[in-house]
Amino acid sequence: MRTETTTSIDTRGDATPNRIAPRPRLITQGEALRAAVVAEKLAGRTVGLVPTMGALHEGHLSLVDAAAAECDVTVATVFVNPTQFGPEEDFRRYPRNLDQDMRLLAERGVDVVFAPSNDEMYRPNHATFVDVGPLGRTLEGEFRPTHFRGVATVVLKLFLLAPAQRAYFGRKDYQQTLVVRQLVADLNVPIEVRVCPTVREPDGLAMSSRNAYLSADQRGRARALSRSLQLAERLVTGGERDVKTIRDAMRQEIEDAGGIALQYIAFAADGTLEAVERIDGPTTVALAATVGKTRLIDNTLLNG
Ligand code: AMP
C-alpha cells in the first residue's frame, strides 16, 4: 500500500504481473502532489495534467485519454472550486462522487488523482486572485462576473502544485480555454495547453456534469441547443455568411423548443472573443442558456 510520502508513480509501461498496488494513487495534500510530479520529471518522464471538478463523464475522460496517449504519467485533479461559483450558483449542490470518479479514472489508467479539501487549496488567509482582464469580463463573464478570476486562480495553483509539461482542457468551455492560454502566456507558465474536442451525447447535447440536474422534459428541450449549432453549421456550409441571419435562425430553433431562456449567442473569430458580423474565416459560435435552473453552455466551430 503506497502512502502520500511515496514519490514513485507506477506508469503504464510497468508490466509487473499480479500488481497489488492500487491505481490511481490518491493524493490530497498539495506538497505531496508537487513532490510526486517533480520526481516523475526528474526520472525523465512527461506528465500530463487534467483539471476537473469531478462528477466525471466521457468528456472528462476524453481529456484523460489524450493525456495518457501523449504523456508517460497522467494526473487528474478533482476539486469543486468554490471561488469560481457566484453566491447564487450551484456550488453546494454540484454533484460530488469521488469513489465513482476514482473507478472511472482507474479504468482509464490514470496514475495520480489529486482531490484536495477546500482548506487544503485555500488557506484561511487566502487573498490573491488572478485577473485575466477583458477576456474574463464578456460573455460568460457578464453572467458570472467572478467566474474566470476563480478559474484562473485555481488553474494557476494547480499548475504550480502539479508542474506538468502539458495540461488538457475541453473545447466545450471555449472561453475558459482562451482564459487559460492568456494566463499561461502572460505569467510565463511553462506548460503546454492542449484543447480537446467537445464530447456529446448521442443526440448531440454536449456532455456536462450539470446535465444531471435536468428533468426528462428539460433534457428533451435542451437538445435544441446543439441542434441550433448544427443549424448554424448547415447554413454556413450552404453559403450563408451573415451572422444576424444565422443568429436569428438559431434563436428561432431554441424558442421553438420552449422552456429555454437564452442568454447569448456570440460569434467570434476562432481563438478570440472578437465579435464578427460575417463568417469570413474560422469562427466560433458560442451560446449560453438556462433550462429551468440549469445553466448550459455549448459552442461549435464554423469554417467560413
Ligand atoms: P469541469 O469538471 O466541468 O470543470 O471540466 C473539466 C474539464 O473537462 C474542462 O477542461 C472542460 O472543458 C472539460 N469538459 C467538460 N465537458 C466536456 C465535454 N463534453 N467534452 C470535452 N471536454 C469537456
Side-chain angles (χ1 to χ4, degrees):
M1 199 73 170
R2 280 172 291 168
T3 67
E4 295 215 332
T5 51
T6 310
T7 52
S8 87
I9 300 170
D10 290 339
T11 64
R12 270 164 303 286
D14 176 357
T16 312
N18 303 324
R19 172 198 296 280
I20 51 162
R23 183 196 278 181
R25 176 183 166 202
L26 177 62
I27 296 180
T28 59
Q29 308 292 310
E31 289 310 323
L33 175 66
R34 191 182 347 237
V37 172
V38 167
E40 290 300 330
K41 288 168 68 184
L42 285 174
R45 289 189 274 271
T46 53
V47 180
L49 176 68
V50 182
T52 83
M53 297 205 300
L56 301 179
H57 50 65
E58 282 298 319
H60 299 112
L61 297 173
S62 73
L63 306 183
V64 166
D65 290 347
E70 294 178 356
C71 306
D72 300 317
V73 176
T74 304
V75 177
T77 70
V78 175
F79 178 60
V80 184
N81 173 37
T83 64
Q84 71 188 69
F85 288 79
E88 306 297 315
E89 293 181 3
D90 56 340
F91 172 68
R92 289 169 73 89
R93 71 178 186 125
Y94 195 86
R96 291 163 172 87
N97 191 343
L98 185 59
D99 288 345
Q100 183 176 314
D101 290 345
M102 288 295 285
R103 274 197 298 279
L104 293 169
L105 293 170
E107 280 168 25
R108 302 303 249 260
V110 164
D111 301 288
V112 173
V113 175
F114 178 55
S117 65
N118 288 350
D119 290 348
E120 176 65 17
M121 284 301 276
Y122 294 102
R123 62 194 199 104
N125 291 336
H126 181 97
T128 306
F129 288 89
V130 179
D131 178 349
V132 291
L135 265 189
R137 293 197 270 278
T138 55
L139 301 185
E140 286 300 284
E142 275 180 38
F143 292 88
R144 310 184 71 189
T146 58
H147 176 64
F148 285 117
R149 104 182 180 140
V151 168
T153 302
V154 81
V155 166
L156 181 60
K157 284 169 74 70
L158 291 171
F159 286 173
L160 291 168
L161 291 172
Q165 286 96 335
R166 300 192 189 103
Y168 295 79
F169 293 87
R171 200 187 142 92
K172 152 95 175 15
D173 296 273
Y174 172 73
Q175 190 171 0
Q176 174 171 276
T177 66
L178 304 185
V179 163
V180 172
R181 287 193 191 284
Q182 176 97 31
L183 156 79
V184 163
D186 288 351
L187 299 183
N188 309 94
V189 184
I191 199 161
E192 185 188 340
V193 175
R194 311 280 281 161
V195 176
C196 301
T198 301
V199 177
R200 298 178 177 283
E201 300 289 355
D203 69 0
L205 181 70
M207 288 192 182
S208 164
S209 306
R210 291 190 169 97
N211 292 348
Y213 298 149
L214 299 171
S215 69
D217 175 65
Q218 292 169 335
R219 173 69 184 75
R221 296 174 193 274
R223 162 86 179 85
L225 299 177
S226 56
R227 221 167 39 226
S228 78
L229 294 172
Q230 289 163 2
L231 174 60
E233 287 167 3
R234 280 202 306 279
L235 288 170
V236 171
T237 305
E240 183 57 62
R241 292 290 177 268
D242 180 49
V243 159
K244 182 177 181 311
T245 306
I246 301 167
R247 184 188 278 117
D248 286 348
M250 291 176 69
R251 192 179 283 135
Q252 191 62 55
E253 181 79 35
I254 292 167
E255 270 174 23
D256 288 349
I260 304 179
L262 189 59
Q263 292 187 334
Y264 63 80
I265 300 176
F267 292 73
D270 188 50
T272 76
L273 292 184
E274 286 154 32
V276 296
E277 276 160 33
R278 283 187 58 79
I279 314 287
D280 290 328
T283 303
T284 288
V285 52
L287 58 77
T290 56
V291 185
K293 285 192 176 134
T294 304
R295 190 167 182 282
L296 301 175
I297 59 172
D298 200 353
N299 71 85
T300 195
L301 177 62
L302 304 172
N303 282 307

